[in-house]
Amino acid sequence: MPQPSIVILTGAGLSAESGLATFRDKGGIWSKYDYRDVATPQGFAKNPKLVHEFYNMRRRDHAAVKPNAAHLALARLEREHAGNVVIVTQNIDALHEAAGSKNLIHMHGELLKALCQHCGSTHAWTEDLSLFTQCPRCGSDGGMRPDVVWFGERPYHMGEIGKALSACDLFVSIGTSGHVYPAAGFVAEASAYGAHTVELNLEPSEGASYFAECIHGPATEVVPSFVERLLGGT
């Protein structure tokens, strides 16, 4: 009998217990910064120095964190589940990779990559970026930016994500606000194709009513417990 195909959507709430700040919660990143200044193409064109400082700080913060029990549980699910497991993450951190996840789609880009606006090339990047950073491929300066999807830009890999949602039997949303589209619409898309839908979140998201099942609590508790259930444990 075929094993169920699983798509898991993860958001900032998954990495919060590793020490990375969320965005929309009280005290989150958007309470300290106007997203229009640091997370839009217009903001970068207006003040690239500020945008680089913002992401350089986040890159340094990332170097000090490690995957938590929720990341590790999802990597275990991918290893041990007999069916297909795809993780679609809104997070730009690399904690899924650090935990061992392989079948991973970064729909909002990656903090530890840089994109050249001159030649379109992408590069692994752990150091600071500035207006004077030269592209390793074309040699131009002034065009390097974080390879992250800003407000007003199209998320990456939407065709691949749509294909996964149409084929899944189980859709699980973890640590997301249910506010940011198109990810907030994935539950409706998966449901339309007949998938069972589950929300795992610290508290009900804005879209909690769209899920067939909701389990609320800290990610480091509810995610390992749910993975254990899926794998047939107690």
Side-chain angles (χ1 to χ4, degrees), residues 40-135:
T40 65
Q42 296 81 6
F44 187 62
K46 180 181 178 181
N47 192 345
K49 184 174 183 292
L50 174 65
V51 175
H52 280 313
E53 289 173 351
F54 175 75
Y55 285 97
N56 289 341
M57 175 187 65
R58 296 193 66 194
R59 216 175 283 112
R60 292 186 211 112
D61 289 344
H62 187 285
V65 300
K66 296 180 179 180
N68 61 49
H71 296 101
L72 295 170
L74 294 179
R76 178 194 171 202
L77 178 65
E78 184 182 327
R79 287 195 309 271
E80 298 184 13
H81 179 61
N84 192 44
V85 178
V86 178
I87 297 175
V88 179
T89 187
Q90 296 173 278
N91 298 336
I92 61 173
D93 63 59
L95 294 180
H96 279 301
E97 292 93 331
S101 292
K102 306 292 185 185
N103 201 10
L104 183 65
I105 300 173
H106 275 279
M107 66 179 293
H108 288 166
E110 300 178 58
L111 180 64
L112 302 186
K113 286 187 177 180
L115 168 67
C116 178
Q117 296 186 117
H118 295 305
C119 70
S121 62
T122 60
H123 308 272
W125 209 274
T126 57
E127 305 300 320
D128 286 356
L129 284 171
S130 76
L131 286 170
F132 305 103
T133 303
Q134 290 188 331
C135 172

Coordinates of all heavy atoms in Angstrom, one line a residue, residues 40-135:
T40 N 12.2 45.6 0.9 CA 11.5 45.8 -0.4 C 12.6 46.3 -1.4 O 13.6 46.8 -1.0 CB 10.5 47.0 -0.3 OG1 11.1 48.2 0.0 CG2 9.4 46.6 0.7
P41 N 12.4 46.1 -2.7 CA 13.3 46.6 -3.7 C 13.4 48.1 -3.6 O 14.5 48.6 -3.8 CB 12.7 46.1 -5.0 CG 11.8 45.0 -4.7 CD 11.3 45.3 -3.3
Q42 N 12.3 48.8 -3.3 CA 12.4 50.2 -3.2 C 13.2 50.7 -2.0 O 14.0 51.7 -2.2 CB 10.9 50.8 -3.0 CG 10.0 50.5 -4.2 CD 9.4 49.1 -4.2 OE1 9.6 48.3 -3.3 NE2 8.7 48.8 -5.3
G43 N 13.1 50.0 -0.9 CA 14.0 50.3 0.2 C 15.5 50.1 -0.1 O 16.3 50.9 0.3
F44 N 15.8 49.1 -0.8 CA 17.2 48.8 -1.2 C 17.7 49.9 -2.1 O 18.8 50.4 -2.0 CB 17.3 47.4 -1.8 CG 18.7 47.0 -2.1 CD1 19.6 46.9 -1.1 CD2 19.2 46.8 -3.4 CE1 21.0 46.5 -1.3 CE2 20.5 46.4 -3.6 CZ 21.4 46.2 -2.6
A45 N 16.8 50.3 -3.1 CA 17.2 51.4 -4.0 C 17.4 52.7 -3.3 O 18.3 53.5 -3.6 CB 16.2 51.5 -5.1
K46 N 16.6 52.9 -2.3 CA 16.7 54.2 -1.5 C 17.9 54.3 -0.6 O 18.6 55.3 -0.5 CB 15.4 54.4 -0.8 CG 15.3 55.7 0.0 CD 14.0 55.8 0.8 CE 13.9 57.0 1.6 NZ 12.6 57.1 2.4
N47 N 18.1 53.2 0.2 CA 19.1 53.2 1.2 C 19.8 51.8 1.3 O 19.5 51.0 2.2 CB 18.6 53.6 2.5 CG 19.6 53.9 3.6 OD1 20.8 53.6 3.4 ND2 19.2 54.5 4.7
P48 N 20.6 51.4 0.3 CA 21.2 50.1 0.3 C 22.1 49.8 1.5 O 22.2 48.7 2.0 CB 22.0 50.1 -1.0 CG 22.2 51.5 -1.4 CD 21.0 52.2 -0.9
K49 N 22.7 50.9 2.0 CA 23.6 50.7 3.2 C 22.8 50.2 4.4 O 23.2 49.3 5.1 CB 24.3 52.1 3.6 CG 25.3 52.0 4.7 CD 26.0 53.3 4.9 CE 27.0 53.3 6.0 NZ 26.4 53.1 7.3
L50 N 21.6 50.8 4.6 CA 20.8 50.3 5.7 C 20.3 48.9 5.5 O 20.4 48.1 6.5 CB 19.5 51.2 5.8 CG 18.4 50.7 6.8 CD1 19.0 50.8 8.3 CD2 17.2 51.6 6.7
V51 N 20.0 48.5 4.3 CA 19.5 47.1 4.0 C 20.7 46.2 4.3 O 20.5 45.1 4.9 CB 19.0 47.0 2.6 CG1 18.7 45.6 2.3 CG2 17.8 47.9 2.4
H52 N 21.9 46.5 3.8 CA 23.0 45.6 4.0 C 23.3 45.5 5.5 O 23.6 44.4 6.0 CB 24.3 46.2 3.3 CG 24.3 45.9 1.8 ND1 24.1 44.6 1.3 CD2 24.6 46.7 0.7 CE1 24.2 44.6 0.0 NE2 24.5 45.9 -0.4
E53 N 23.2 46.6 6.3 CA 23.5 46.5 7.7 C 22.5 45.6 8.4 O 22.8 44.8 9.3 CB 23.4 47.9 8.3 CG 24.6 48.8 8.0 CD 24.4 50.2 8.5 OE1 23.3 50.6 8.9 OE2 25.4 51.0 8.4
F54 N 21.2 45.7 7.9 CA 20.2 44.8 8.5 C 20.4 43.3 8.3 O 20.4 42.5 9.2 CB 18.8 45.2 7.9 CG 17.7 44.4 8.3 CD1 17.1 44.5 9.6 CD2 17.1 43.4 7.4 CE1 16.0 43.7 9.9 CE2 16.0 42.7 7.8 CZ 15.5 42.8 9.1
Y55 N 20.8 43.0 7.1 CA 21.0 41.6 6.8 C 22.4 41.1 7.2 O 22.5 39.9 7.6 CB 20.8 41.3 5.3 CG 19.4 41.3 4.9 CD1 18.7 42.4 4.4 CD2 18.6 40.2 5.1 CE1 17.4 42.4 4.0 CE2 17.2 40.1 4.8 CZ 16.6 41.3 4.3 OH 15.3 41.3 4.0
N56 N 23.4 42.0 7.3 CA 24.6 41.6 7.9 C 24.5 41.2 9.4 O 25.1 40.2 9.8 CB 25.7 42.7 7.8 CG 26.1 43.0 6.3 OD1 26.0 42.1 5.5 ND2 26.7 44.1 6.1
M57 N 23.6 42.0 10.1 CA 23.4 41.7 11.5 C 22.7 40.4 11.6 O 23.0 39.5 12.5 CB 22.5 42.8 12.1 CG 22.0 42.5 13.5 SD 20.8 43.8 14.0 CE 19.4 43.4 12.9
R58 N 21.7 40.1 10.7 CA 21.0 38.8 10.8 C 21.9 37.7 10.5 O 21.8 36.6 11.0 CB 19.8 38.9 9.8 CG 18.7 39.9 10.2 CD 17.4 39.7 9.5 NE 16.8 38.4 9.8 CZ 15.8 37.9 9.1 NH1 15.4 38.5 8.0 NH2 15.3 36.8 9.5
R59 N 22.8 37.9 9.5 CA 23.8 36.8 9.2 C 24.7 36.5 10.4 O 25.0 35.3 10.7 CB 24.6 37.3 8.0 CG 24.9 36.1 7.0 CD 25.6 36.7 5.7 NE 24.7 37.3 4.8 CZ 24.6 38.6 4.6 NH1 25.5 39.4 5.1 NH2 23.7 39.1 3.7
R60 N 25.1 37.5 11.1 CA 25.9 37.3 12.3 C 25.1 36.6 13.4 O 25.7 35.7 14.0 CB 26.5 38.6 12.8 CG 27.5 39.3 11.9 CD 28.1 40.5 12.5 NE 28.4 41.5 11.5 CZ 27.8 42.7 11.3 NH1 26.8 43.0 12.2 NH2 28.2 43.5 10.4
D61 N 23.9 37.0 13.6 CA 23.0 36.3 14.6 C 22.9 34.8 14.2 O 22.8 34.0 15.1 CB 21.7 37.0 14.6 CG 21.7 38.4 15.3 OD1 22.7 38.7 15.9 OD2 20.7 39.1 15.1
H62 N 22.7 34.6 12.9 CA 22.5 33.2 12.5 C 23.7 32.3 12.9 O 23.5 31.1 13.2 CB 22.2 33.2 11.0 CG 21.8 31.8 10.5 ND1 22.7 30.8 10.3 CD2 20.6 31.4 10.0 CE1 22.1 29.7 9.8 NE2 20.8 30.1 9.6
A63 N 24.9 32.8 12.8 CA 26.1 32.0 13.1 C 26.1 31.5 14.5 O 26.8 30.5 14.8 CB 27.3 32.9 12.9
A64 N 25.3 32.1 15.4 CA 25.3 31.7 16.8 C 24.2 30.7 17.2 O 24.1 30.3 18.3 CB 25.2 32.9 17.7
V65 N 23.3 30.3 16.2 CA 22.2 29.5 16.6 C 22.3 28.1 16.0 O 23.1 27.8 15.0 CB 20.8 30.1 16.1 CG1 20.6 31.5 16.8 CG2 20.8 30.2 14.6
K66 N 21.5 27.1 16.6 CA 21.5 25.7 16.1 C 20.1 25.3 16.0 O 19.2 25.8 16.6 CB 22.3 24.9 17.2 CG 23.7 25.2 17.3 CD 24.4 24.3 18.4 CE 25.9 24.6 18.5 NZ 26.5 23.7 19.5
P67 N 19.9 24.2 15.2 CA 18.6 23.7 15.0 C 18.1 23.1 16.3 O 18.8 22.7 17.2 CB 18.8 22.5 14.0 CG 20.2 22.2 14.0 CD 20.9 23.5 14.3
N68 N 16.7 23.3 16.5 CA 16.1 22.8 17.8 C 15.4 21.4 17.6 O 15.5 20.8 16.5 CB 15.2 23.8 18.3 CG 14.0 24.1 17.4 OD1 13.4 23.3 16.9 ND2 13.8 25.4 17.2
A69 N 14.8 21.0 18.6 CA 14.2 19.6 18.5 C 13.1 19.5 17.4 O 12.9 18.4 16.9 CB 13.5 19.3 19.9
A70 N 12.5 20.6 17.1 CA 11.5 20.6 16.0 C 12.1 20.4 14.6 O 11.7 19.6 13.8 CB 10.6 21.9 16.0
H71 N 13.2 21.1 14.4 CA 14.0 20.9 13.1 C 14.5 19.4 13.0 O 14.4 18.8 12.0 CB 15.2 21.8 13.1 CG 14.9 23.3 13.0 ND1 15.0 24.1 14.1 CD2 14.5 24.1 12.0 CE1 14.7 25.3 13.8 NE2 14.4 25.3 12.5
L72 N 15.0 18.9 14.1 CA 15.6 17.6 14.1 C 14.5 16.5 13.9 O 14.7 15.5 13.2 CB 16.3 17.3 15.5 CG 17.5 18.2 15.7 CD1 18.0 18.0 17.1 CD2 18.6 17.8 14.7
A73 N 13.3 16.8 14.5 CA 12.2 15.8 14.3 C 11.7 15.8 12.8 O 11.4 14.7 12.3 CB 11.0 16.2 15.2
L74 N 11.7 16.9 12.1 CA 11.3 16.9 10.7 C 12.4 16.2 9.9 O 12.0 15.6 8.9 CB 11.1 18.4 10.3 CG 9.9 19.1 10.9 CD1 9.8 20.5 10.4 CD2 8.6 18.4 10.7
A75 N 13.6 16.4 10.2 CA 14.7 15.7 9.5 C 14.5 14.2 9.7 O 14.7 13.4 8.8 CB 16.0 16.1 9.9
R76 N 14.2 13.8 10.9 CA 13.9 12.4 11.2 C 12.7 11.8 10.3 O 12.8 10.7 9.8 CB 13.6 12.2 12.7 CG 13.3 10.7 13.0 CD 12.7 10.6 14.4 NE 12.3 9.2 14.6 CZ 11.3 8.9 15.5 NH1 10.8 9.8 16.3 NH2 11.0 7.6 15.7
L77 N 11.7 12.6 10.3 CA 10.5 12.2 9.5 C 10.9 12.0 8.0 O 10.5 11.0 7.4 CB 9.4 13.3 9.6 CG 8.2 13.0 8.8 CD1 7.4 11.8 9.3 CD2 7.2 14.2 8.8
E78 N 11.7 12.9 7.5 CA 12.1 12.7 6.1 C 12.9 11.4 5.9 O 12.8 10.7 4.9 CB 13.0 13.9 5.7 CG 13.4 13.9 4.2 CD 14.2 15.1 3.8 OE1 14.0 16.2 4.4 OE2 15.1 14.9 3.0
R79 N 13.8 11.1 6.9 CA 14.6 9.9 6.8 C 13.8 8.6 6.9 O 14.1 7.7 6.2 CB 15.7 10.0 7.9 CG 16.8 10.9 7.7 CD 18.0 10.6 8.7 NE 17.5 10.4 10.0 CZ 17.5 11.4 10.9 NH1 17.8 12.7 10.6 NH2 17.1 11.2 12.2
E80 N 12.9 8.6 7.9 CA 12.2 7.4 8.3 C 10.9 7.1 7.6 O 10.4 6.0 7.6 CB 12.1 7.3 9.8 CG 13.5 7.4 10.5 CD 13.3 7.3 12.0 OE1 12.2 6.9 12.5 OE2 14.3 7.5 12.7
H81 N 10.2 8.1 7.1 CA 8.9 7.9 6.5 C 9.1 7.3 5.1 O 9.9 7.7 4.3 CB 8.2 9.3 6.3 CG 6.8 9.1 5.7 ND1 5.8 8.4 6.2 CD2 6.4 9.7 4.5 CE1 4.8 8.5 5.4 NE2 5.1 9.3 4.4
A82 N 8.3 6.3 4.9 CA 8.5 5.5 3.6 C 8.0 6.3 2.4 O 8.4 6.0 1.3 CB 7.7 4.2 3.7
G83 N 7.1 7.2 2.6 CA 6.6 8.0 1.5 C 7.4 9.3 1.3 O 8.4 9.5 1.9
N84 N 6.9 10.1 0.4 CA 7.6 11.4 0.1 C 7.3 12.5 1.1 O 6.2 12.6 1.5 CB 7.2 11.9 -1.3 CG 8.0 13.0 -1.9 OD1 9.3 12.9 -1.8 ND2 7.4 14.0 -2.4
V85 N 8.4 13.2 1.5 CA 8.3 14.3 2.4 C 8.9 15.5 1.8 O 10.1 15.5 1.5 CB 8.9 14.0 3.8 CG1 8.8 15.2 4.7 CG2 8.2 12.8 4.5
V86 N 8.2 16.6 1.7 CA 8.7 17.8 1.1 C 8.5 18.9 2.2 O 7.4 19.1 2.7 CB 8.0 18.3 -0.2 CG1 8.6 19.6 -0.7 CG2 8.2 17.2 -1.3
I87 N 9.6 19.6 2.5 CA 9.5 20.8 3.4 C 9.6 22.0 2.6 O 10.6 22.3 1.9 CB 10.6 20.7 4.5 CG1 10.5 19.5 5.4 CG2 10.5 22.0 5.3 CD1 11.6 19.4 6.4
V88 N 8.5 22.8 2.7 CA 8.5 24.2 2.0 C 8.7 25.2 3.2 O 7.8 25.2 4.1 CB 7.2 24.4 1.3 CG1 7.2 25.8 0.7 CG2 6.9 23.3 0.2
T89 N 9.7 25.9 3.2 CA 10.0 26.9 4.3 C 9.9 28.3 3.8 O 10.4 28.7 2.8 CB 11.3 26.6 5.0 OG1 11.4 27.4 6.2 CG2 12.5 26.8 4.1
Q90 N 9.2 29.1 4.7 CA 9.2 30.6 4.5 C 10.5 31.2 5.1 O 10.8 32.3 4.9 CB 8.0 31.2 5.1 CG 6.7 30.7 4.5 CD 5.5 31.2 5.3 OE1 5.1 30.6 6.3 NE2 4.9 32.4 4.9
N91 N 11.2 30.4 5.9 CA 12.3 30.9 6.7 C 13.5 31.0 5.7 O 13.8 30.1 4.9 CB 12.7 29.9 7.8 CG 11.5 29.8 8.8 OD1 10.7 30.8 8.9 ND2 11.5 28.8 9.6
I92 N 14.3 32.0 5.9 CA 15.5 32.2 5.1 C 16.8 31.7 5.9 O 17.9 31.7 5.3 CB 15.7 33.7 4.7 CG1 15.9 34.6 6.0 CG2 14.6 34.1 3.9 CD1 16.3 36.0 5.6
D93 N 16.6 31.1 7.1 CA 17.7 30.6 7.8 C 18.1 29.2 7.3 O 17.4 28.6 6.4 CB 17.4 30.5 9.3 CG 16.2 29.6 9.7 OD1 16.3 28.4 9.3 OD2 15.3 30.0 10.3
A94 N 19.2 28.7 7.7 CA 19.7 27.4 7.2 C 19.6 26.3 8.3 O 20.3 25.3 8.3 CB 21.1 27.5 6.8
L95 N 18.6 26.4 9.2 CA 18.5 25.5 10.3 C 17.9 24.1 9.9 O 18.3 23.1 10.5 CB 17.7 26.1 11.5 CG 18.3 27.3 12.1 CD1 17.4 27.8 13.3 CD2 19.7 26.9 12.7
H96 N 17.1 24.1 8.9 CA 16.6 22.8 8.3 C 17.8 22.0 7.8 O 17.9 20.8 8.0 CB 15.6 23.0 7.2 CG 14.2 23.3 7.7 ND1 13.5 22.4 8.5 CD2 13.4 24.3 7.5 CE1 12.3 22.9 8.7 NE2 12.2 24.1 8.1
E97 N 18.6 22.7 7.0 CA 19.8 22.0 6.5 C 20.7 21.5 7.6 O 21.3 20.4 7.5 CB 20.6 22.9 5.5 CG 19.9 23.3 4.3 CD 19.0 24.6 4.4 OE1 18.6 24.9 5.5 OE2 18.9 25.3 3.4
A98 N 20.9 22.3 8.6 CA 21.8 21.9 9.7 C 21.3 20.7 10.5 O 22.0 19.9 11.0 CB 22.0 23.1 10.7
A99 N 19.9 20.6 10.5 CA 19.3 19.4 11.1 C 19.4 18.2 10.3 O 19.2 17.1 10.8 CB 17.9 19.8 11.5
G100 N 19.6 18.3 9.0 CA 19.8 17.2 8.1 C 18.7 17.0 7.1 O 18.7 16.0 6.3
S101 N 17.8 18.0 7.0 CA 16.7 17.9 5.9 C 17.3 18.1 4.6 O 18.2 18.9 4.4 CB 15.6 19.0 6.2 OG 14.9 18.7 7.3
K102 N 16.8 17.3 3.6 CA 17.4 17.3 2.2 C 16.4 17.8 1.2 O 16.7 18.5 0.3 CB 17.8 15.9 1.8 CG 18.8 15.2 2.8 CD 20.2 15.9 2.8 CE 21.2 15.2 3.7 NZ 22.4 15.9 3.8
N103 N 15.1 17.3 1.3 CA 14.1 17.6 0.3 C 13.4 18.9 0.7 O 12.3 18.9 1.3 CB 13.1 16.5 0.2 CG 12.3 16.5 -1.1 OD1 12.6 17.2 -2.0 ND2 11.3 15.7 -1.1
L104 N 14.1 20.0 0.5 CA 13.7 21.3 1.0 C 13.6 22.4 0.0 O 14.4 22.5 -1.0 CB 14.8 21.7 2.0 CG 14.7 23.0 2.8 CD1 13.6 22.9 3.8 CD2 16.1 23.2 3.6
I105 N 12.5 23.2 0.1 CA 12.3 24.3 -0.8 C 12.2 25.6 -0.1 O 11.4 25.8 0.8 CB 10.9 24.1 -1.6 CG1 10.9 22.8 -2.4 CG2 10.7 25.3 -2.5 CD1 9.5 22.5 -3.0
H106 N 13.2 26.5 -0.4 CA 13.2 27.8 0.3 C 12.4 28.8 -0.6 O 12.9 29.4 -1.5 CB 14.6 28.3 0.4 CG 15.4 27.8 1.6 ND1 15.2 28.4 2.8 CD2 16.3 26.8 1.8 CE1 16.0 27.8 3.7 NE2 16.6 26.8 3.1
M107 N 11.1 29.0 -0.3 CA 10.3 29.8 -1.1 C 10.6 31.3 -1.0 O 10.3 32.1 -1.9 CB 8.8 29.6 -0.9 CG 8.3 30.0 0.5 SD 6.5 29.6 0.7 CE 5.8 30.8 -0.5
H108 N 11.3 31.7 0.1 CA 11.6 33.1 0.3 C 13.1 33.4 0.2 O 13.6 34.4 0.7 CB 11.0 33.6 1.7 CG 9.6 33.7 1.7 ND1 8.8 33.9 2.9 CD2 8.7 33.8 0.7 CE1 7.5 34.0 2.6 NE2 7.4 33.9 1.3
G109 N 13.8 32.5 -0.4 CA 15.3 32.7 -0.5 C 16.0 32.2 0.7 O 15.5 31.6 1.6
E110 N 17.3 32.6 0.7 CA 18.2 32.1 1.7 C 19.2 33.2 2.2 O 19.8 33.8 1.4 CB 19.1 30.9 1.2 CG 18.2 29.7 0.8 CD 19.0 28.6 0.2 OE1 19.9 28.1 0.9 OE2 18.8 28.2 -1.0
L111 N 19.2 33.3 3.5 CA 20.1 34.4 4.1 C 21.5 34.2 3.8 O 22.3 35.1 3.6 CB 19.9 34.4 5.7 CG 20.7 35.4 6.5 CD1 20.3 36.8 6.1 CD2 20.5 35.1 8.0
L112 N 22.0 32.9 3.7 CA 23.4 32.6 3.5 C 23.7 32.4 2.0 O 24.6 31.7 1.6 CB 23.8 31.3 4.2 CG 23.5 31.4 5.8 CD1 24.1 30.2 6.5 CD2 24.2 32.7 6.4
K113 N 23.0 33.2 1.2 CA 23.3 33.3 -0.2 C 23.2 34.8 -0.7 O 22.4 35.6 -0.1 CB 22.3 32.5 -1.1 CG 22.6 31.0 -1.0 CD 21.7 30.2 -2.0 CE 22.0 28.7 -2.0 NZ 21.2 28.0 -3.0
A114 N 23.9 35.1 -1.7 CA 23.9 36.5 -2.2 C 23.6 36.4 -3.7 O 23.9 35.5 -4.4 CB 25.2 37.2 -2.0
L115 N 22.9 37.4 -4.2 CA 22.4 37.5 -5.6 C 23.0 38.8 -6.2 O 23.0 39.8 -5.6 CB 20.9 37.6 -5.6 CG 20.2 38.0 -6.9 CD1 20.4 36.9 -7.9 CD2 18.7 38.2 -6.6
C116 N 23.6 38.6 -7.4 CA 24.1 39.7 -8.2 C 23.0 40.3 -9.1 O 22.4 39.5 -9.9 CB 25.3 39.3 -9.0 SG 25.9 40.7 -10.0
Q117 N 22.6 41.5 -8.9 CA 21.6 42.1 -9.7 C 22.1 42.4 -11.1 O 21.3 42.7 -12.0 CB 21.1 43.4 -9.1 CG 20.4 43.2 -7.7 CD 19.8 44.4 -7.2 OE1 18.5 44.5 -7.0 NE2 20.6 45.4 -6.9
H118 N 23.4 42.4 -11.4 CA 23.9 42.7 -12.7 C 23.9 41.4 -13.6 O 23.4 41.5 -14.7 CB 25.4 43.1 -12.6 CG 25.5 44.5 -11.9 ND1 24.9 45.6 -12.3 CD2 26.3 44.8 -10.8 CE1 25.2 46.6 -11.5 NE2 26.1 46.1 -10.5
C119 N 24.3 40.3 -13.1 CA 24.4 39.1 -13.9 C 23.4 38.0 -13.5 O 23.3 37.0 -14.2 CB 25.8 38.5 -14.0 SG 26.4 37.8 -12.4
G120 N 22.7 38.2 -12.4 CA 21.7 37.2 -11.9 C 22.3 36.0 -11.3 O 21.5 35.0 -11.0
S121 N 23.6 35.9 -11.0 CA 24.2 34.7 -10.4 C 24.0 34.7 -8.9 O 23.8 35.8 -8.3 CB 25.7 34.7 -10.7 OG 26.3 35.8 -10.1
T122 N 23.9 33.5 -8.3 CA 23.8 33.4 -6.8 C 25.0 32.7 -6.3 O 25.6 31.9 -7.0 CB 22.5 32.6 -6.4 OG1 22.6 31.3 -7.0 CG2 21.3 33.3 -6.9
H123 N 25.3 33.0 -5.0 CA 26.6 32.5 -4.4 C 26.3 32.3 -2.9 O 25.7 33.0 -2.3 CB 27.7 33.6 -4.6 CG 27.9 34.0 -6.0 ND1 28.7 33.4 -6.9 CD2 27.3 35.1 -6.7 CE1 28.7 34.0 -8.1 NE2 27.8 35.1 -7.9
A124 N 26.9 31.2 -2.4 CA 26.9 30.9 -1.0 C 27.6 32.1 -0.3 O 28.7 32.6 -0.8 CB 27.6 29.6 -0.7
W125 N 27.1 32.6 0.8 CA 27.6 33.8 1.4 C 27.4 33.9 2.9 O 26.3 33.8 3.4 CB 26.9 35.1 0.8 CG 27.9 36.2 0.8 CD1 28.1 37.1 1.8 CD2 28.7 36.6 -0.3 NE1 29.0 38.1 1.4 CE2 29.5 37.8 0.1 CE3 29.0 36.1 -1.6 CZ2 30.4 38.4 -0.7 CZ3 30.0 36.7 -2.4 CH2 30.6 37.9 -1.9
T126 N 28.5 33.9 3.6 CA 28.4 34.0 5.1 C 29.0 35.3 5.6 O 28.9 35.6 6.8 CB 29.1 32.8 5.7 OG1 30.5 32.8 5.3 CG2 28.5 31.5 5.4
E127 N 29.7 36.1 4.8 CA 30.3 37.3 5.2 C 29.4 38.5 5.0 O 28.3 38.4 4.5 CB 31.6 37.5 4.4 CG 32.6 36.4 4.4 CD 33.1 36.1 5.8 OE1 33.3 37.1 6.6 OE2 33.2 34.9 6.2
D128 N 29.8 39.7 5.5 CA 29.1 40.9 5.3 C 29.0 41.2 3.8 O 29.9 40.9 3.0 CB 29.7 42.1 6.0 CG 29.4 42.0 7.5 OD1 28.8 41.1 8.0 OD2 30.0 42.9 8.2
L129 N 27.9 41.9 3.4 CA 27.8 42.5 2.0 C 27.8 44.0 2.2 O 27.4 44.6 3.2 CB 26.5 42.1 1.4 CG 26.3 40.7 0.9 CD1 24.9 40.4 0.5 CD2 27.3 40.4 -0.3
S130 N 28.3 44.7 1.1 CA 28.3 46.1 1.1 C 28.1 46.6 -0.4 O 28.2 45.8 -1.3 CB 29.5 46.7 1.7 OG 30.6 46.6 0.8
L131 N 28.1 47.9 -0.6 CA 28.0 48.4 -1.9 C 29.3 48.2 -2.7 O 29.3 48.3 -3.9 CB 27.8 50.0 -1.9 CG 26.3 50.4 -1.5 CD1 26.3 51.9 -1.3 CD2 25.4 50.0 -2.6
F132 N 30.4 47.8 -2.0 CA 31.7 47.7 -2.6 C 32.0 46.2 -2.9 O 33.0 45.9 -3.4 CB 32.8 48.3 -1.8 CG 32.5 49.7 -1.5 CD1 32.0 50.1 -0.2 CD2 32.7 50.7 -2.4 CE1 31.7 51.4 0.1 CE2 32.4 52.0 -2.2 CZ 31.9 52.4 -0.9
T133 N 31.0 45.3 -2.5 CA 31.3 43.9 -2.7 C 31.2 43.5 -4.2 O 30.2 43.9 -4.8 CB 30.2 43.0 -1.9 OG1 30.2 43.4 -0.5 CG2 30.5 41.6 -2.1
Q134 N 32.2 42.9 -4.7 CA 32.2 42.5 -6.1 C 31.6 41.1 -6.3 O 31.7 40.2 -5.5 CB 33.7 42.5 -6.6 CG 34.3 43.8 -6.7 CD 35.7 43.7 -7.4 OE1 36.4 42.7 -7.3 NE2 36.1 44.8 -8.1
C135 N 30.9 41.0 -7.4 CA 30.3 39.7 -7.7 C 31.4 38.7 -8.1 O 32.3 39.1 -9.0 CB 29.3 39.9 -8.9 SG 28.7 38.3 -9.6

